[in-house]
Amino acid sequence: MKNFWRFIFRKNLPSTSLCQMDFAVLGLGDSSYAKFNFVAKKLHRRLLQLGGSALLPMCLGDDQHELGPDAAIDPWLHDLWKKVLDLHPVPLDLGIIPTGIPLPSKFTLQFLEEAPVTHSEEQHVARMDPQDPPSELHPFLAPMVSNQRVTGPLHFQDVRLIEFDITGSGLSFTAGDVVLIQPKNIAPHVQQFCQLLGLDPDQCFTLQPREPGVPCPVQLPQPCSVRRLVSQYLDITSVPRRSFFELLACLSPHKLEREKLLEFSSAQGQEELCEYCSRPRRTVLEVLCDFPHTAGAIPPDYLLDLVPLIRPRAFSIASSLLAHPSRLQILVAVVQYQTRLKEPRRGLCSSWLASLDPGQGPVRVPLWVRPGSLTFPETPDTPVIMVGPGTGVAPFRATVQERVAQGQTRNFLFFGCRQRDQDFYWEPEWKELEKRGCLTLVTAFSREQEQKVYVQHRLRELGPLVWELLDHQGAYFYLAGRRAGSPALTPLPTLPGCSGHCVSRLKRGPEKPSCWGGHCLLPPYVIPGGGWPVLLHSRTPVHPGSHTQPGPPLPYYHPTPPHSTQL
């Protein structure tokens, strides 16, 4: 793709390079970003510049649309196929596959008559080369040491501080790195799924691709039991996509259920599908319960085509090896919310982790570490300003622990939560560091007074101090936290040297540049992607008081994966 992009934008290409080429461009994007479908628009313009002929106007799928990208794609595809078939009719000796006929499955499940000697999860993981660090293919089964609720009993959310023992794992990490955890489905859901499909959980099978050259999922052991496939690999609690209903309709032998599934998978039925599935967050398992005749007729070969694989969840590491050797800690907000469905919606990974109790027996969790993109100054006298409301403080705990262990004491932390006695994470630790002169802590408790107070109010109150640290002392500025649940408008402080028009919004991609101090920042410089940390760092002196004077180079930012808001 990089080679194509470089070639197509070569300046020496003549304007007639593509004069004999017809093309159509389909872009997938999110209109909440400033540069919505930027690549598709740029490519469409370039192909026209080189003489190409557009079969259709460009299609811009928008993930923010209530019906998703399909709202734009459906009519566009209908017109596209009409154009293509007019230009290139189907040969007479080839037929079009009728609607409702499923394509062959990618894999076949060959069930074994006798149960083979299978490896346990521990044995399967242990077969990795001990010299290799843990990875997605070979995660480390870390013993869970503790699983402690750190929010008060009256707090609306269950937040857990979970600690793992990583002795002998070969794992190494620094502040800003993330840990990835592979969750599992709970046993009742696994049993219910197998009953609906008429599967024996203890039966073993081998997986074979139908076509040569197609690799089997490397995470799946061979042979594998049905129980292991469903519990560790198939995401049966995910919200199904339209393609799920399309394939399910093809596999359904029941007339009434098939008609409804076809309606859900049609372009005309997307509003009804949204109302049935997307809005209430109905899961794959719940859909199959609503279509029992269809579920009982699903061939096992189609399981991997029908149900997506469970993806690992990323969490910011909330501890430093310098402070807690051979330990890894994370702060997990347990996701649970109510829709119009009777059963509450629960996050797969957070709920699974919260259910584990190391006090009842050994608990092991598959995990591995990925380097983060947050970098911190190495010079001991460089100040660091960290803004971490709520669970956003997790990566900054690792940062503070690491910097204090290295003798770096110029740490400024802005922490916000609802109530001091309910969700003030690590209060004793912060207070102790304050006493030692290793940390300056500024707090904002939004629900302890009549008017809500957030971290941005504290930043504004301490604007002169923040600007002094940024402008004269070369401080680094970090921001982490959840976009969801934050105020719609979160103004940063108006600092000395700023004209007062500097307002940043916690949304994806502000449309216009904003200014910080005496110079302008081009987007994105706030939380991108709904809750990823950002770094702002002034690398050269700023000229306060005038936006027309030469300012510093644009600050750079470092997005890293979310730390505690993953489902």
Side-chain angles (χ1 to χ4, degrees), residues 202-270:
D202 298 318
Q203 192 168 13
C204 293
F205 65 89
T206 58
L207 200 64
Q208 298 294 331
R210 284 191 183 273
E211 307 230 350
V214 176
C216 293
V218 290
Q219 307 98 318
L220 207 63
Q222 298 269 31
C224 180
S225 69
V226 172
R227 187 188 308 278
R228 187 166 183 176
L229 172 69
V230 180
S231 65
Q232 300 183 30
Y233 298 97
L234 299 184
D235 198 353
I236 59 177
T237 61
S238 62
V239 178
R241 297 177 178 268
R242 178 179 173 183
S243 57
F244 172 87
F245 292 90
E246 291 175 349
L247 180 54
L248 205 58
C250 294
L251 301 175
S252 177
H254 192 271
K255 182 180 179 181
L256 293 179
E257 292 185 359
R258 180 184 177 91
E259 288 177 357
K260 194 63 180 179
L261 291 167
L262 286 172
E263 182 181 349
F264 282 152
S265 60
S266 67
Q268 297 76 20
Q270 291 311 290

Side-chain angles (χ1 to χ4, degrees), residues 153-411:
L154 301 180
H155 192 59
F156 77 101
Q157 189 169 40
D158 180 3
V159 178
R160 301 297 182 100
L161 176 61
I162 301 177
E163 183 175 66
F164 302 101
D165 182 358
I166 57 171
T167 303
S169 65
L171 288 171
S172 178
F173 55 86
T174 58
D177 289 350
V178 297
V179 61
L180 291 103
I181 293 177
Q182 187 68 36
K184 300 178 183 179
N185 293 308
I186 60 175
H189 286 169
V190 173
Q191 187 67 30
Q192 186 180 14
F193 182 86
C194 291
Q195 288 176 352
L196 282 170
L197 273 67
L199 298 172
D200 179 2
D202 298 318
Q203 192 168 13
C204 293
F205 65 89
T206 58
L207 200 64
Q208 298 294 331
R210 284 191 183 273
E211 307 230 350
V214 176
C216 293
V218 290
Q219 307 98 318
L220 207 63
Q222 298 269 31
C224 180
S225 69
V226 172
R227 187 188 308 278
R228 187 166 183 176
L229 172 69
V230 180
S231 65
Q232 300 183 30
Y233 298 97
L234 299 184
D235 198 353
I236 59 177
T237 61
S238 62
V239 178
R241 297 177 178 268
R242 178 179 173 183
S243 57
F244 172 87
F245 292 90
E246 291 175 349
L247 180 54
L248 205 58
C250 294
L251 301 175
S252 177
H254 192 271
K255 182 180 179 181
L256 293 179
E257 292 185 359
R258 180 184 177 91
E259 288 177 357
K260 194 63 180 179
L261 291 167
L262 286 172
E263 182 181 349
F264 282 152
S265 60
S266 67
Q268 297 76 20
Q270 291 311 290
E271 176 61 38
E272 190 173 355
L273 176 60
C274 183
E275 185 65 31
Y276 168 73
C277 194
S278 302
R279 288 196 186 104
R281 311 301 293 170
R282 199 181 302 268
T283 67
V284 167
L285 182 58
E286 290 170 330
V287 171
L288 293 176
C289 289
D290 288 346
F291 295 87
H293 299 91
T294 302
I298 295 174
D301 290 350
Y302 281 95
L303 284 177
L304 292 175
D305 296 274
L306 192 64
V307 185
L309 297 180
I310 296 174
R311 296 192 301 178
R313 271 59 168 179
F315 298 88
S316 283
I317 299 173
S319 61
S320 169
L321 288 173
L322 299 180
H324 301 277
S326 302
R327 291 290 190 268
L328 186 153
Q329 297 179 355
I330 57 175
L331 192 65
V332 180
V334 181
V335 177
Q336 179 174 322
Y337 57 96
Q338 193 73 49
T339 65
R340 60 181 174 83
L341 299 179
K342 181 179 179 181
E343 188 70 21
R345 307 295 90 186
R346 293 181 174 87
L348 173 62
C349 187
S350 60
S351 297
W352 173 67
L353 286 173
S355 70
L356 302 177
D357 184 4
Q360 300 297 320
V363 174
R364 290 178 174 268
V365 173
L367 56 80
W368 62 100
V369 168
R370 185 175 68 196
S373 52
L374 280 176
T375 57
F376 295 89
E378 298 180 358
T379 51
D381 57 341
T382 301
V384 167
I385 305 170
M386 297 159 283
V387 182
T391 54
V393 76
F396 298 145
R397 180 179 182 246
T399 304
V400 171
Q401 287 183 351
E402 192 163 289
R403 285 174 57 81
V404 169
Q406 295 170 344
Q408 299 170 330
T409 59
R410 306 202 64 196
N411 307 302

Side-chain angles (χ1 to χ4, degrees), residues 493-516:
T494 301
L495 302 175
C498 180
S499 65
H501 300 294
C502 317
V503 177
S504 66
R505 298 175 183 270
L506 288 186
K507 67 176 186 179
R508 298 175 186 172
E511 293 292 337
K512 298 179 181 179
S514 297
C515 47
W516 176 281

Side-chain angles (χ1 to χ4, degrees), residues 61 69 108-109 270 394 478 486:
T108 61
L109 274 66
Q270 291 311 290
Y478 300 83
S486 299

Side-chain angles (χ1 to χ4, degrees), residues 29-66:
D30 187 322
S31 59
S32 65
Y33 285 90
K35 295 187 176 182
F36 170 58
N37 265 314
F38 172 78
V39 173
K41 295 174 183 176
K42 187 173 183 179
L43 178 61
H44 189 269
R45 286 195 301 268
R46 184 56 176 165
L47 295 178
L48 290 175
Q49 290 172 358
L50 296 177
S53 176
L55 291 174
L56 292 171
M58 176 175 40
C59 176
L60 301 179
D62 183 7
D63 201 47
Q64 287 296 313
H65 193 283
E66 189 174 37

